[in-house]
């Protein structure tokens, strides 16, 4: 086994992580390091009328306290990946609870933490609204996000509704959720000789560099951002946030190395969250199950300090064949921090509503839910007529159903029991847009045959640092053990942020391109295969030979709708008397193009499915509307799945090669695993109990009437 494409090798970064050798941003060494601690606002909306720094300043070790009175003016941050565009410490306004009102820098973390507690702030409170549902009437229309149109309308939806044999129209809700990465946000900013070196827990070194350059009004070339290992991101580390800017600002102002690590509580206010949504889905169909219309209207929570839109209906149009369709989006700006993408954003939130609605329609028609999906299977995206680049969803449905034993399902709700348990089977479709971005890479080889891949991508923990060496090894025909990888550094060939499930297609293709170019050079120099590489270098009198590679989506075929797909089947058990829904098993079958490493891919899908269990049954950040703050900024109040919540998970892929999506044949899988899981579980809960819960997470109190 040489570890090339398609082979099951173990994670190459595994040993470093489990032995503690892996160094994360906050682990990096720096001379004369000092520590910065954020003083968070205790009010959601207020003016600061006075600050008393005397007690804090007198504490041992305190070096400086930044407030709105002495912090330099920041430049405008306009990058699309700006977490918040209204930056803190620039005026006396408090715009959300948790926003930084001061930054204390001291010799030790303990000193800074204690001094931060003694910063006295007097506020004049202003009227605020932080609760979402009470503010729905303030929703404002939004039309695009990242330059992509959000809203669509085609065909005559009202006429289809009027003429339909079957109709369902319901309101669904999803909760505010927080990325709970194991590694909190952390920035170690080192100012030296007019240059800034930043070790940052970021999903995008280039975007972080641009964001810091704009905020600090520095030449991007004078800022180097590095990230060697990341302890989970899930979107929360994909944007440029105020805490990173504050750490870098403090380093520059003080001319030294400043480390800022968010506390767990601060990670509930400092890097976004998936905002709550209220969605209305209306489906109309003929008696035989043919859909005649889909309407999907979303209202999402937003903020006054940024522009994130939870575009739940963005990717509803390619789900099924339809003759009429409309999707709309509105946001309600609230006095909160800005939300952000969180695995799995947009369609991942929208599928909860649409795939629950499909289940409701199946019952309205007296049809099997899987049959209803097959009946409306889309061969092309009906919004624009584009064919799918490759779509093996039919196989996913068939193979997933067989593996799950879907045919054993009795149609009627509450008809399947096992002892005290009500048993429910539910299913849903998953669909994931292929975000693809330009990327660059360099591959080189030395006279010993050792290969080095360099690319400024980042591994959030999903396995990229395993599959990139596999891709290079495959192209060069060398064992993967001969390939080393350097990543996470703005001095390396530029790569996009690791988000939107884009990395394999984007960075992987650039690496493949570079490796193929290197192989051509070696072949030209006389190498007749991998054994000849050292000889070719000798012939060139070179110690090292390298090739630059690049890939951009423009080089792929644009005239196709590129999406990954999945069919998700879930079995839920609900005790007759104690109605806590438990997920007995989940089977996911996926169509995602070529799978570079089935083992790490399966592992990633398993993690995604567990994430989906959290979305379905556990994860909810309750906003206290009276205090204007998220109530439980810790894992005792914010529940995520633990081992006891997770039983059998079975994720598989169909064989596929999608040449349109990327030269590797791969599409994205990062966010695919969490898609469709929550609606499959919600549908299984209904099948088990006969109670339709149109809100996630589904909680025992929703099911109290199961007896
Ligand atoms: Mo992803 S939620 O784009 O990191």
């Amino acid at each position: 086994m040489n570890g090339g494409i398609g082979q099951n090798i173990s994670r190459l970064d595994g040993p470093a992580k489990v032995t503690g050798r892996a160094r994360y941003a906050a682990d990096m060494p720096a001379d004369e390091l000092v520590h910065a601690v954020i003083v968070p606002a205790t009010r959601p909306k207020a003016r600061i009328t006075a600050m008393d720094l005397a007690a804090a300043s007198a504490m041992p070790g305190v070096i400086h306290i930044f407030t709105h009175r002495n912090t330099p003016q920041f430049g405008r941050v306009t990058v699309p990946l700006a977490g918040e565009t209204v930056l803190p410490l620039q005026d006396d306004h408090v715009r959300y609870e948790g926003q930084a009102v001061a930054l204390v820098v001291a010799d030790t973390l303990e000193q800074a933490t204690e001094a931060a507690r003694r910063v006295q702030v007097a506020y004049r409170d202003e009227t605020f609204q932080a609760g979402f549902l009470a503010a729905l009437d303030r929703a404002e229309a939004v039309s695009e996000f990242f330059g992509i149109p959000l809203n669509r309308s085609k065909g005559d939806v009202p006429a289809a509704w009027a003429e339909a044999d079957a109709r369902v129209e319901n309101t669904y809700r999803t909760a505010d959720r927080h990325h709970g990465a194991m590694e909190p946000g952390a920035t170690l900013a080192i100012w030296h000789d007019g240059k800034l070196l930043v070790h940052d827990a970021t999903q995008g070194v280039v975007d972080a560099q641009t964001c810091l350059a704009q905020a600090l009004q520095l030449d991007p070339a004078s800022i180097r951002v590095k990230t060697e290992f990341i302890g989970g991101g899930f979107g929360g580390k994909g944007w440029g946030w105020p805490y990173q800017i504050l750490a870098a600002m403090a380093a520059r102002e003080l001319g030294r190395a400043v480390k800022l690590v968010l506390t767990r509580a601060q990670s509930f206010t400092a890097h976004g969250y998936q905002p709550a949504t209220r969605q209305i889905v209306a489906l109309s169909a003929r008696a035989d199950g043919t859909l005649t219309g889909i309407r999907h209207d979303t209202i999402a929570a937003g903020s006054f300090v940024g522009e994130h839109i939870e575009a739940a209906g963005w990717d509803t149009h390619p789900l099924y064949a339809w003759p009429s369709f409309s999707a709309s989006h509105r946001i309600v700006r609230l006095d909160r921090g800005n939300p952000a993408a969180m695995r799995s954003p947009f369609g991942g939130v929208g599928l909860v509503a649409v795939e629950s609605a499909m289940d409701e329609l199946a019952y309205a028609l007296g049809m099997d839910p899987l049959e209803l999906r097959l009946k409306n299977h889309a061969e092309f995206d009906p919004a624009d007529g584009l064919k799918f680049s490759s779509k093996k969803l039919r196989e996913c449905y068939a193979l997933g159903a067989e593996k799950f034993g879907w045919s054993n399902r009795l149609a009627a709700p509450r008809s399947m029991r096992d002892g005290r348990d009500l048993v429910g089977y539910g299913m849903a479709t998953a669909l994931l847009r292929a975000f693809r971005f330009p990327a660059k890479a360099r591959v080189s080889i030395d006279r010993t045959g050792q290969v080095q891949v360099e690319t400024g991508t980042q591994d959030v923990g999903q396995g990229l640092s395993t599959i990139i060496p596999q891709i290079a090894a495959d192209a060069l025909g060398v064992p993967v053990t001969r390939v080393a990888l350097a990543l996470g550094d703005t001095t390396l060939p530029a790569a996009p942020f690791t988000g939107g499930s884009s990395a394999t297609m984007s960075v992987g293709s650039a690496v493949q391109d570079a490796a193929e170019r290197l192989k051509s050079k070696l072949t030209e120099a006389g190498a007749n295969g991998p054994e000849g590489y050292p000889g070719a270098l000798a012939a060139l009198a070179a110690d090292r030979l390298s090739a630059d590679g690049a890939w951009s989506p423009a080089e792929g075929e644009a005239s196709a709708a590129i999406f990954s797909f999945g069919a998700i089947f879930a079995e839920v058990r609900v005790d007759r008397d104690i109605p806590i829904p438990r997920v007995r098993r989940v089977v996911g079958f996926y169509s995602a193009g070529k799978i570079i490493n089935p083992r790490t891919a399966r592992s990633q899908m398993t993690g995604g499915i567990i994430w989906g269990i959290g979305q379905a049954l556990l994860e909810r950040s309750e906003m206290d509307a009276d205090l204007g703050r998220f109530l439980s900024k810790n894992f005792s109040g914010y529940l995520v799945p633990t081992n006891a919540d997770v039983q059998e998970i079975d994720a598989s892929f169909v064989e596929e090669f999608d040449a349109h999506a990327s030269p590797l044949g791969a599409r994205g899988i990062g966010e695919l695993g969490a898609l469709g899981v929550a609606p499959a579980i919600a549908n299984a809960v209904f099948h088990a109990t006969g109670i339709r819960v149109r809100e996630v997470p589904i909680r025992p109190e929703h099911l109290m009437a199961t007896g």
Side-chain angles (χ1 to χ4, degrees):
M1 177 184 280
N2 78 0
I5 289 174
Q7 296 198 16
N8 281 314
I9 63 165
S10 292
R11 297 173 61 120
L12 298 174
D13 55 348
K17 284 186 169 171
V18 299
T19 57
R21 234 177 31 244
R23 288 186 307 178
Y24 295 79
D27 300 331
M28 302 312 270
D31 290 335
E32 297 183 44
L33 178 67
V34 295
H35 299 263
V37 167
I38 288 172
V39 179
T42 56
R43 310 296 219 280
K45 192 175 182 191
R47 300 292 283 269
I48 297 169
T49 53
M51 295 186 87
D52 184 351
L53 308 180
S57 303
M59 294 289 289
V62 172
I63 294 163
H64 196 77
I65 302 177
F66 292 94
T67 70
H68 67 279
R69 298 213 175 90
N70 64 0
T71 297
Q73 202 187 342
F74 294 125
R76 256 166 53 78
V77 176
T78 58
V79 280
L81 291 175
E84 290 177 2
T85 48
V86 180
L87 298 178
L89 305 193
Q90 299 292 288
D91 56 31
D92 59 355
H93 286 264
V94 170
R95 294 175 172 88
Y96 60 90
E97 192 274 341
Q99 186 177 30
V101 292
L103 186 76
V104 177
V105 183
D107 287 328
T108 69
L109 175 62
E110 292 76 8
Q111 289 167 337
T113 302
E114 190 54 29
R117 280 162 32 87
R118 296 185 190 218
V119 170
Q120 302 282 328
V121 186
Y123 298 100
R124 188 175 68 239
D125 289 317
E126 298 184 344
T127 315
F128 67 91
Q129 186 141 36
F132 172 58
L133 291 175
L136 291 178
D137 57 343
R138 291 216 333 252
E140 52 188 87
V142 287
S143 61
E144 60 166 52
F145 194 39
F146 291 116
I148 305 174
L150 286 172
N151 304 323
R152 286 175 183 273
S153 176
K154 197 173 169 184
D156 192 340
V157 175
W161 181 263
E163 292 157 15
D165 298 320
R167 312 176 175 92
V168 294
E169 174 174 359
N170 288 295
T171 302
Y172 303 87
R173 291 185 0 221
T174 64
D176 291 304
R177 301 161 73 205
H178 276 88
H179 323 82
M182 222 188 313
E183 178 202 27
T187 302
L188 168 52
I190 303 165
W191 183 265
H192 184 68
D193 260 0
K195 285 190 166 23
L196 194 58
L197 167 63
V198 183
H199 297 285
D200 191 33
T202 176
Q203 290 172 236
V205 290
V206 176
D207 295 290
Q209 177 192 44
T210 315
C211 181
L212 292 175
Q214 289 186 339
L216 302 184
Q217 296 173 292
L218 290 169
D219 178 1
S222 65
I223 303 176
R224 178 179 182 186
V225 180
K226 295 184 68 172
T227 187
E228 210 173 312
F229 289 94
I230 301 171
F234 316 115
K237 290 171 180 154
W239 271 243
W241 294 102
Y243 74 88
Q244 297 157 298
I245 293 169
L246 291 179
M249 176 278 299
R252 180 179 65 180
E253 295 309 302
L254 301 174
R256 45 200 308 186
V258 175
K259 187 196 284 190
L260 193 164
V261 180
L262 297 177
T263 63
R264 178 54 63 191
Q266 288 170 352
S267 69
F268 281 77
T269 51
H271 56 59
Y273 52 93
Q274 182 174 86
T277 68
R278 204 269 336 240
Q279 304 172 51
I280 296 174
V281 175
L283 303 176
S284 56
R286 287 203 285 271
D288 68 354
T290 309
L291 280 169
T292 56
I294 299 179
R295 182 164 65 81
H296 189 182
D297 296 322
T298 298
I299 302 179
S303 82
F304 292 102
V305 291
E307 299 301 324
H308 184 78
I309 300 164
E310 196 56 55
W314 218 2
D315 293 334
T316 304
H317 61 87
L319 258 177
Y320 296 110
W322 44 256
S324 76
F325 179 87
S326 81
S328 76
H329 295 83
R330 289 182 287 163
I331 61 167
V332 179
R333 290 190 193 267
L334 298 165
D335 298 300
R336 303 168 160 206
N338 199 36
M342 171 173 153
R343 175 168 79 163
S344 297
F346 318 134
V349 175
L351 285 170
V352 172
V354 179
E355 286 298 287
S356 296
M358 284 294 280
D359 201 65
E360 301 203 49
L361 181 64
Y363 283 100
L365 289 159
M367 234 176 134
D368 180 272
L370 175 54
E371 224 166 279
L372 178 65
R373 267 85 172 179
L374 289 167
K375 180 91 193 168
N376 293 287
H377 192 266
E379 301 301 334
F380 54 88
D381 181 349
D384 47 24
L386 286 182
K387 270 189 75 90
F388 292 108
S389 56
S390 175
K391 177 178 182 179
K392 301 221 167 186
L393 180 57
R394 282 187 193 280
E395 287 90 322
C396 295
Y397 286 135
L399 294 167
E402 188 183 324
K403 205 164 199 184
F404 181 81
W406 182 255
S407 60
N408 299 326
R409 179 181 184 268
L410 305 177
R414 290 183 75 90
S415 61
M416 292 174 69
R417 299 195 179 212
D418 182 8
R420 297 174 49 83
D421 284 344
L422 308 176
V423 177
Y425 286 8
M427 59 87 54
T429 305
L431 174 143
L432 173 70
R433 171 195 295 257
F435 282 105
R436 303 175 304 157
F437 307 108
K440 292 178 180 165
R442 184 182 307 123
V443 179
S444 61
I445 189 167
D446 69 16
R447 281 217 203 184
T448 69
Q450 177 69 29
V451 175
Q452 166 97 351
V453 179
E454 296 166 282
T455 174
T457 187
Q458 338 23 241
D459 187 340
V460 242
Q462 83 279 41
L464 202 59
S465 46
T466 303
I467 64 154
I468 286 182
Q470 287 186 268
I471 290 165
D474 194 85
L476 288 163
V478 302
V480 74
T481 48
R482 299 294 279 163
V483 183
L485 170 66
L487 49 59
D489 190 334
T490 47
T491 61
L492 297 172
F497 94 120
T498 304
S501 308
S502 62
T504 301
M505 291 178 281
S506 309
V507 184
S509 299
V511 169
Q512 187 186 43
D513 181 53
E516 282 170 355
R517 285 172 193 272
L518 178 62
K519 189 180 177 187
S520 302
K521 284 188 179 183
L522 291 160
T523 307
E524 272 169 42
N528 201 357
E531 310 73 37
Y533 292 163
L537 263 72
L540 292 168
D543 290 329
R544 177 172 286 278
L545 189 63
S546 84
D548 290 325
W551 185 76
S552 125
E555 289 161 32
E557 172 113 5
S559 59
I562 309 177
F563 293 88
S564 291
F565 303 91
I568 320 300
F569 299 86
E571 177 184 331
V572 167
R573 301 282 181 118
V574 184
D575 182 279
R576 256 185 358 224
D577 299 320
I578 305 163
I580 299 172
R582 302 214 178 267
V583 179
R584 174 71 190 82
R585 59 202 175 100
V586 177
V587 171
F589 232 103
Y590 299 96
S591 159
K594 179 72 189 172
I595 299 303
I596 309 299
N597 180 335
R599 181 185 294 172
T600 56
R602 201 163 49 241
S603 162
Q604 197 176 5
M605 304 314 283
T606 303
I609 291 171
I610 293 170
W611 198 266
I613 293 174
Q615 182 185 27
L617 302 178
L618 297 164
E619 287 190 58
R620 177 172 69 123
S621 270
E622 190 151 3
M623 167 57 72
D624 183 319
D626 294 328
L627 295 175
R629 53 165 278 166
F630 287 113
L631 202 52
S632 302
K633 298 175 188 168
N634 54 56
F635 289 134
S636 59
Y638 185 85
L639 305 182
V640 296
T642 63
N643 285 343
D645 298 303
V646 180
Q647 300 188 45
E648 280 173 48
I649 293 182
D650 186 337
S652 320
F653 298 91
V654 292
E655 284 288 330
E656 191 176 5
F657 189 94
D658 186 346
H660 292 285
S662 66
L664 292 162
R667 290 196 298 271
I669 61 169
E671 285 152 335
L672 185 59
L675 288 166
V677 178
I681 291 171
N683 296 339
V685 167
F686 174 76
H687 184 235
T689 64
I691 298 175
R692 178 67 67 179
V693 183
R694 299 189 180 94
E695 175 187 351
V696 288
I698 296 171
R699 303 185 294 281
E701 58 266 34
H702 292 130
L703 305 174
M704 284 301 184
T706 51

